[in-house]
């Protein structure tokens, strides 16, 4: 076999020589990871980073032909570290493009730092509706689907199945409440009935939960078609399936999952990126990896098209009508101008099979069916004027 | 009925059977090849071919079929008459699309996972070169004058122009998002190339290697993001070109002189690849979701038949 073409990227300085350089920072804080519910799932501490790295590689392959070089630097703040300090010391004034994988509160704290004014922050970690609504920031773009988009995706599918009566089980964390809010909003939007909502107040002990608690918990007065679970950290949701009092399917944060990415996804060229990711990472691509991949690819696409490394042309291109990001979901992805949410299909996945991809056929929209998911322009609560523009 | 009429009728039937041709369709999910008689409008048979067959081409003399059997990591050569396997080609991993040169002695294969184009010497059944291209090469074509091999890379969004003599890339053209298929006009002057994500067809001038014209597809009543152009063919007289629009379920008919879209023909769901009949009187489309092919009569520009063929029809080739 013969291998010719471009040399391997031996060192950054060599490969960036004579090229337009686009520097990207990846900023994350190590989370105090709760051990996964099941020992089947490995604890992954570098979610996101590897997605950004794969995208840099893809950008640089294109850059070989467009004489652009993309350089990624990762800043990992320890769980007890100070993100703002790292930002001010290492990122401020040095980078125009920052991909973040931070808790929702921290994302806006960073966005509000003075130096962040002259940056675009690509939030590849949060799913909060508030960050895309009342708390929106003009210098932040959101890559992952919001909770509202996820809940709407589920609702569309359940509506198609005519599973209209929902029993909503809610975990104890703040995030679970927010997920439940999104589910309730979706139920209203698609005219579904939540026959009962109930907080999980039993133990989180696997043996006890599995054996008796679920059966007790799910004995409710009203009949329902489907059990919707809001348990973002996976503390009890995984134990609901097959253990309910009545034989009912589980959907939501467990069971049938609404997600941006899933290992069972193989349509629209997804097999290719799954393979490429697995080969370099040695594990499946997680949602945060996908978010970071899209963020870095969005910068690459805009830099290539605008033939620039400067903030304004790149940001303008990203938010323009011409922007069409290939995200392996069968449709071009673009940003909603009213809240900077990346519009995208949401996958509805069972552990080992892709069940459906929302928007579900039949849910129509005058502009793009993708906008049947989440907050559409007329209902947005984001007002740029009131935020840090 | 007198004898004369009967003999005329018989002649008529015979002439039909003489004109009959065979359409070969790869069935990605059935691991099979479907054989169709398009004149009779029926499925003749389905034969097993290997894991996940996709790209298919027939040799210029119509004697050999080349089929990319993706999950078997090979390209199989079949006798187009007997369907016996007469050879396998070293295609590297996961072959999907490929192109034959006009002489029929070189095969150029897109290796999607490795970002390579593999050049195969068919007589020797050997890979003689691998050319590094952008990320996820897909569409590939050889110009009829055998000067250029063009390779479209889906994630890099480029068309790479490879010199057919030296096998070196001489130019790279940035194109619209997620380029899919590419083909040349019969005079080799232009390459037509589809962009799945931008819903466009680009016409590239083989001299300048630049986009000289862009056709944007718009189908009334179909959302913009459902218009995802994939397969493209141009007739040999360079009168019209045809583009499969994927989930828009239409084939666009384009005037090859003015580049106006003359018509959108409604075909099956997620129309993917296209092939002419050898006399170019008909066009066959593979429809990946509705599991059928559509037959388009090109004189009347109408869809005359759709025919169920099996699961996930992918590629199509025709033998007279």
């Amino acid at each position: 076999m013969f291998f010719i073409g471009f040399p391997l990227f031996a060192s950054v300085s060599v490969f960036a020589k004579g090229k337009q350089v686009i520097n990207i920072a990846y900023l994350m804080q190590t989370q105090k990871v709760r051990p996964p519910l099941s020992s089947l799932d490995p604890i992954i501490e570098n979610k996101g980073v590897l997605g950004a790295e794969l995208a840099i590689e893809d950008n640089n392959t294109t850059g070989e032909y467009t004489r652009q070089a993309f350089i990624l630097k990762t800043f990992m703040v320890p769980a007890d570290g100070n993100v703002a300090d790292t930002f001010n010391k290492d990122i401020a004034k040095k980078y125009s493009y920052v991909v973040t994988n931070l808790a929702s509160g921290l994302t806006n704290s960073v966005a509000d730092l003075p130096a962040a004014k002259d940056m675009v922050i690509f939030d590849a970690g949060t799913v909060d509706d508030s960050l895309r609504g009342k708390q929106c920031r003009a210098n932040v773009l959101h890559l992952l689907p919001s909770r509202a988009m996820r809940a709407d995706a589920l609702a569309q599918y359940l509506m198609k199945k005519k599973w209209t009566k929902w029993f909503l089980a809610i975990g104890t964390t703040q995030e679970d409440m927010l997920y439940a809010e999104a589910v309730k909003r979706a139920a209203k939007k698609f005219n579904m009935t939540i026959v009962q909502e109930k907080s999980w107040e039993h133990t989180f002990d696997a043996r006890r939960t599995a054996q008796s608690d679920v059966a007790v918990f799910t004995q409710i007065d009203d009949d329902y078609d489907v059990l919707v679970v809001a348990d973002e950290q996976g503390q009890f949701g995984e134990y609901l399936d097959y253990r309910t009092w009545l034989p009912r399917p589980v959907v939501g944060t467990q069971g049938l999952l609404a997600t941006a990415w899933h290992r069972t996804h193989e349509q629209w060229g997804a097999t290719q990126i799954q393979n490429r990711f697995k080969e370099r990472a040695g594990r499946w691509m997680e949602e945060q990896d996908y978010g970071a991949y899209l963020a870095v690819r969005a910068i690459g696409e805009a830099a290539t098209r605008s033939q620039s490394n400067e903030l304004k042309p790149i940001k303008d291109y990203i938010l323009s009508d011409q922007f069409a990001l290939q995200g392996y979901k069968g449709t071009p992805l673009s940003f909603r101008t009213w809240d900077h949410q990346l519009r995208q299909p949401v996958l509805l996945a069972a552990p080992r099979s892709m069940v459906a991809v929302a928007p579900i056929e039949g849910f129509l929209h005058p502009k793009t069916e993708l906008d049947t998911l989440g907050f559409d322009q007329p209902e947005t609560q984001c007002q740029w004027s009131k935020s840090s523009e | 009925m007198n004898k004369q009429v009967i003999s005329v009728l018989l002649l008529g039937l015979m002439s039909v059977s003489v004109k009959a041709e065979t359409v070969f369709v790869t069935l990605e999910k059935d691991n099979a090849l479907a054989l169709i008689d398009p004149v009779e409008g029926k499925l003749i048979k389905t034969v097993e071919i290997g894991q996940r067959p996709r790209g298919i081409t027939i040799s210029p003399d119509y004697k050999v079929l080349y089929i990319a059997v993706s999950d078997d990591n090979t390209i199989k050569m079949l006798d187009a008459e007997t369907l016996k396997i007469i050879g396998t080609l070293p295609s590297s991993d996961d072959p999907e699309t490929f192109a034959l040169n006009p002489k029929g002695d070189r095969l150029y294969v897109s290796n999607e996972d490795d970002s390579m184009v593999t050049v195969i010497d068919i007589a020797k059944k050997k890979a003689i070169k691998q050319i590094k291209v952008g990320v996820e090469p897909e569409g590939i074509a050889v110009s009829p004058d055998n000067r250029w091999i063009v390779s479209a890379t889906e994630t890099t969004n480029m068309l790479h122009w490879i010199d057919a003599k030296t096998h070196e890339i001489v130019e790279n053209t940035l194109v619209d998002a997620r380029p899919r298929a590419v083909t040349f006009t019969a005079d080799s002057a232009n390459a037509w190339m589809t962009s799945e994500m931008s819903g466009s067809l680009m016409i590239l001038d083989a001299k300048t290697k630049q986009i000289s014209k862009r056709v944007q597809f718009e189908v009334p009543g179909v959302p913009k993001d459902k218009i995802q152009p994939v397969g493209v063919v141009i007739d040999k007289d360079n009168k019209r070109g045809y583009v499969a629009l994927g989930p828009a379920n239409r084939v666009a008919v384009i005037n090859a002189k003015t580049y106006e879209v003359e018509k959108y023909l409604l075909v099956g769901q997620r129309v993917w690849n296209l092939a002419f009949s050898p006399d170019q009187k008909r066009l066959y489309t593979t429809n990946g979701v509705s599991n059928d092919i559509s037959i388009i009569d090109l004189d009347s520009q109408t869809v005359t038949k759709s025919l169920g063929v099996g699961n996930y029809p992918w590629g199509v080739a025709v033998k007279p």
Side-chain angles (χ1 to χ4, degrees):
Chain A
M1 276 187 208
F2 300 86
F3 292 92
I4 57 143
F6 17 93
L8 290 171
F9 309 138
S11 82
V12 164
S13 59
V14 170
F15 106 91
K17 210 174 171 185
K19 288 183 182 169
Q20 192 172 53
V21 176
I22 296 100
N23 285 299
I24 303 169
Y26 182 86
L27 175 63
M28 75 174 287
Q29 183 168 35
T30 320
Q31 304 287 311
K32 289 189 198 89
V33 198
R34 201 183 278 269
L37 197 58
S38 160
S39 54
L40 293 172
D41 302 323
I43 298 174
I44 302 170
E45 278 169 348
N46 57 358
K47 278 183 191 173
V49 185
L50 298 177
E53 286 175 1
L54 180 64
I56 275 288
E57 206 172 82
D58 286 1
N59 284 359
N60 277 322
T61 305
T62 307
E64 278 296 314
Y65 305 108
T66 57
R67 306 212 52 73
Q68 290 178 317
F70 297 84
I71 299 169
L72 178 80
K73 185 143 191 310
T74 300
F75 300 92
M76 219 181 275
V77 183
D80 57 357
N82 187 319
V83 173
D85 285 352
T86 303
F87 182 90
N88 286 325
K89 190 170 141 274
D90 297 323
I91 297 175
K93 297 200 169 96
K94 294 183 187 124
Y95 291 89
S96 299
Y97 315 101
V98 185
V99 181
T100 59
N101 182 3
L102 297 169
S104 43
L106 271 175
T107 304
N108 269 4
S109 324
V110 165
D112 292 340
L113 291 170
K117 271 203 165 32
D118 307 317
M119 286 182 184
V120 187
I121 292 172
F122 294 80
D123 160 29
T126 81
V127 296
D128 287 72
D129 289 299
S130 66
L131 294 189
R132 291 131 172 101
K134 280 196 173 121
Q135 299 300 319
C136 68
R137 298 289 188 271
N139 56 344
V140 181
L141 303 173
H142 306 280
L143 281 305
L144 292 179
S146 65
R147 290 191 180 93
M149 290 168 75
R150 291 159 202 259
D152 286 352
L154 278 172
Q156 289 186 355
Y157 182 72
L158 297 180
M159 189 172 170
K160 184 188 162 202
K161 297 296 292 176
K162 300 195 176 70
W163 296 345
T164 58
K165 287 184 287 180
W166 304 354
F167 169 24
L168 177 59
I170 310 168
T172 50
T173 68
Q174 182 62 30
E175 288 79 20
D176 298 341
M177 313 290 170
L178 294 172
Y179 191 93
E181 282 309 313
V183 169
K184 286 187 249 183
R185 176 185 170 273
K188 208 171 155 197
K189 181 170 166 182
F190 294 98
N191 206 16
M192 306 277 116
T193 313
I194 295 177
V195 298
Q196 201 173 126
E197 59 176 271
K198 218 170 155 183
S199 295
W200 180 262
E201 281 160 358
H202 295 264
T203 66
F204 298 106
D205 177 293
R207 281 156 298 179
R208 245 191 81 74
T209 304
Q211 292 310 321
S212 57
D213 289 352
V214 177
V216 174
F217 180 81
T218 55
Q219 281 187 61
I220 59 169
D221 293 337
D222 305 289
D223 195 6
Y224 61 96
D225 297 318
V226 46
L227 174 55
V228 185
V229 58
D231 172 26
E232 289 198 351
Q233 291 176 3
Q235 297 185 49
F236 67 99
E238 213 64 71
Y239 291 119
L240 298 178
D241 235 342
Y242 307 108
R243 297 181 175 102
T244 49
W245 185 250
L246 295 170
R248 298 288 180 267
V250 176
V251 307
T253 52
Q254 282 80 25
L256 182 68
L257 203 69
T259 180
W261 194 255
H262 199 262
R263 63 181 185 146
T264 58
H265 179 41
E266 53 184 31
Q267 269 196 82
W268 304 302
T271 307
Q272 271 80 43
I273 192 176
Q274 301 270 30
N275 288 346
R276 286 195 290 126
F277 185 88
K278 246 185 356 189
E279 201 168 295
R280 91 194 292 300
R283 62 168 173 83
W284 288 100
M285 191 168 183
E286 301 286 329
E287 213 183 27
Q288 289 88 341
D289 298 308
Y290 179 68
Y293 176 84
L294 290 180
V296 174
R297 288 287 298 127
I299 300 165
E301 177 70 11
T304 306
R305 300 284 171 191
S306 63
Q307 280 297 298
S308 174
N309 58 358
E310 280 167 38
L311 183 71
K312 193 176 181 310
I314 287 186
K315 190 178 179 187
D316 286 353
Y317 188 87
I318 286 177
L319 291 172
S320 74
D321 285 347
Q322 284 99 55
F323 185 74
L325 188 62
Q326 134 70 347
Y328 301 92
K329 286 185 180 173
T331 184
L333 314 183
S334 55
F335 287 94
R336 292 177 180 154
T337 50
W338 56 90
D339 63 359
H340 290 178
Q341 166 70 54
L342 185 72
R343 49 166 77 84
Q344 63 191 296
V346 173
L347 310 178
L348 297 171
R352 293 184 73 89
S353 86
M354 185 59 58
V355 176
V357 180
I360 303 291
E361 200 168 349
F363 290 89
L364 302 177
H365 189 279
K367 197 170 163 236
T368 161
E369 285 161 19
L370 292 176
D371 287 347
T372 62
L373 304 175
F375 285 86
D376 201 357
Q377 191 154 19
E379 36 179 2
T380 183
Q381 292 179 309
C382 171
Q383 287 178 20
W384 301 125
S385 55
K386 285 186 188 166
S387 66
S388 67
E389 190 150 38
Chain B
M1 215 184 270
N2 65 32
K3 272 183 184 169
Q4 243 180 337
V5 174
I6 289 169
S7 64
V8 167
L9 269 174
L10 275 172
L11 265 175
L13 284 172
M14 277 171 68
S15 69
V16 165
S17 67
V18 168
K19 262 205 266 172
E21 58 200 37
T22 310
V23 177
F24 301 94
V25 174
T26 50
L27 302 171
E28 187 181 354
K29 279 272 149 130
D30 286 346
N31 302 327
L33 181 71
L35 275 69
I36 297 119
D37 179 338
V39 179
E40 290 281 319
K42 65 177 192 204
L43 179 67
I44 305 165
K45 63 176 173 179
T46 303
V47 293
E48 277 189 32
I49 196 77
Q51 300 294 306
R52 204 169 171 222
R54 292 192 284 175
I56 178 167
T57 296
I58 195 157
S59 60
D61 61 5
Y62 298 111
K63 284 187 177 150
V64 183
L65 279 170
Y66 298 89
I67 300 175
V69 194
S70 300
D71 286 357
D72 291 345
N73 298 325
T74 187
I75 291 176
K76 288 187 177 167
M77 294 168 67
L78 273 71
D79 181 311
E81 203 58 53
T82 64
L83 300 181
K84 277 205 180 102
I85 292 170
I86 52 174
T88 57
L89 299 174
S91 62
S92 287
D93 284 357
D94 195 26
E96 180 183 355
T97 49
F98 53 84
L100 264 181
N101 67 346
K103 244 171 99 185
D105 60 355
R106 291 276 186 281
L107 197 72
Y108 302 93
V109 188
S110 302
N111 295 119
E112 225 174 356
D113 287 359
D114 306 333
S115 304
M116 295 277 187
V117 167
T118 302
V119 185
I120 295 173
D121 180 318
I122 291 173
K124 291 183 183 150
K125 297 195 176 68
K126 268 175 99 169
I128 53 169
K129 185 145 184 168
Q130 288 202 306
I131 304 159
K132 185 100 179 84
V133 291
V135 182
E136 295 180 1
E138 169 99 16
I140 189 158
V142 186
S143 61
D145 63 7
N146 203 28
R147 274 211 63 192
W148 301 111
I149 299 128
V150 287
S151 163
T153 46
E154 285 176 345
T155 296
T156 300
N157 299 326
M158 287 213 163
L159 188 66
H160 306 280
W161 298 75
I162 301 165
D163 186 307
K165 282 198 190 74
T166 62
H167 290 152
E168 306 280 349
I169 295 179
V170 295
E171 182 112 22
N172 306 286
T173 314
L174 188 65
V175 295
D176 291 355
R178 199 166 157 88
R180 289 302 295 262
V182 57
T183 191
F184 277 93
T185 51
D187 60 6
S188 300
N190 292 304
W192 289 32
M193 166 172 206
T194 54
S195 153
E196 190 179 18
M197 292 286 124
S198 301
S200 64
L201 168 75
M202 290 156 282
I203 316 293
L204 292 105
D205 186 321
K207 274 204 193 78
T208 64
K209 321 270 183 302
Q210 296 306 309
I211 299 170
S212 59
K213 179 84 194 167
R214 191 180 262 106
V215 180
Q216 198 67 45
F217 298 108
E218 278 164 33
V219 186
V222 177
K224 194 173 155 243
D225 52 15
K226 284 265 157 84
I227 299 173
Q228 298 174 8
V230 194
V232 53
V233 291
I234 312 162
D235 65 28
K236 54 177 180 266
D237 304 327
N238 202 27
K239 271 194 183 145
R240 289 192 181 94
Y242 302 85
V243 174
L245 298 182
N249 308 334
R250 307 284 198 293
V251 169
V253 183
I254 300 128
N255 184 308
K257 300 272 180 300
T258 63
Y259 301 115
E260 268 168 288
V261 181
E262 294 181 345
K263 213 170 177 179
Y264 292 104
L265 300 165
L266 185 64
V267 291
Q269 289 175 348
R270 203 169 179 206
V271 56
W272 204 302
N273 283 307
L274 308 170
F276 285 114
S277 62
D279 60 8
Q280 300 213 333
K281 288 196 178 304
R282 285 171 300 280
L283 185 69
Y284 305 110
T285 77
T286 53
N287 311 319
V289 171
S290 49
N291 294 330
D292 54 7
I293 65 163
S294 299
I295 301 174
I296 299 169
D297 178 79
L298 294 180
D299 285 336
S300 61
Q301 300 277 334
T302 52
V303 179
T304 54
K305 196 169 177 72
S306 48
L307 194 68
V309 289
N311 287 311
Y312 284 35
W314 202 98
V316 52
V318 190
K319 178 178 88 73

